[in-house]
Amino acid sequence: MLRIGICDDQIDARDTLRFQLEKVIHEESEQIVYEFSTGEGAVRWLKKHPGEIDLLFLDVEMKGVNGMEAAGQIREFDKEICLVFVTGYTDYVFDGYKVNALDYVVKPAGTERLREVLMRVREHIFDNSQKTFSFKNSEGTYRLPLSNISYFYSDKRKVYVVCAGKAQNSSHAFYGKLNQVEDKLDGLFVRVHQRYLVNPKWVTRIGADSVTVDGESVPMSRAMKETAAAKLARIMLEEKTFES
């Protein structure tokens, strides 16, 4: 499912873009799910709902926080969302590279141009699909980059996804089993405990009965210690860089 958002402070512009997009999206797998009337509103909502929108059409010339400023703020906590600028002036095109915008369209956007943009978006998401983890809960559908996840842990019938870095202390829960999550990740994460699955990228210390993941201590069971510690050490050494 490709979930699309539109951000423009002009309702007529939002309606026009939505109407044109509805002509070219795949109805069975693509949907316009949210519309925002301000850059501030889009940033605020996206920060609280990571991974819930895959593609955001962002008007550049908005009052208050304009599209370029909003894009910069979004990139502080979301590196994966596809950003496409909508503008009446081509002068802003090159500024889009600063925030890793995927493309731009000039108002009014025609169906052929939007079709080209959507093809690029589909290719981009498909190429990176193996680098994300998707799940659903009562708050919505999420697609999170694996690089942003420090570890998973299970409690009763739920699996918790703990985010790292700037998103530290942010976690999401969904009903499932940790064994199923481990199978989906195909060895990219390491099982250190019956209830914990860690991202080697964020492991900074391997202790006698625990590992430190993004500053947090995670237990390591006796039964899994030998295999887990060896695998983590090997990965950490392979990824270690030395400065001359």
Side-chain angles (χ1 to χ4, degrees), residues 76-94:
E76 290 180 3
F77 57 83
D78 191 337
K79 306 294 185 186
E80 301 300 320
I81 187 173
C82 293
L83 298 177
V84 174
F85 285 120
V86 183
T87 177
Y89 308 94
T90 57
D91 298 353
Y92 294 100
V93 170
F94 293 105

Side-chain angles (χ1 to χ4, degrees), residues 186-210:
D186 195 26
L188 295 176
F189 280 50
V190 178
R191 192 73 170 264
V192 297
H193 189 280
Q194 190 63 28
R195 294 177 53 218
Y196 288 86
L197 185 62
V198 305
N199 186 346
K201 170 187 173 180
W202 292 100
V203 174
T204 55
R205 176 181 174 274
I206 303 172
D209 56 4
S210 66

Side-chain angles (χ1 to χ4, degrees), residues 36-47:
F36 306 97
S37 59
T38 65
E40 298 95 326
V43 172
R44 187 167 53 249
W45 191 91
L46 288 168
K47 194 168 187 177

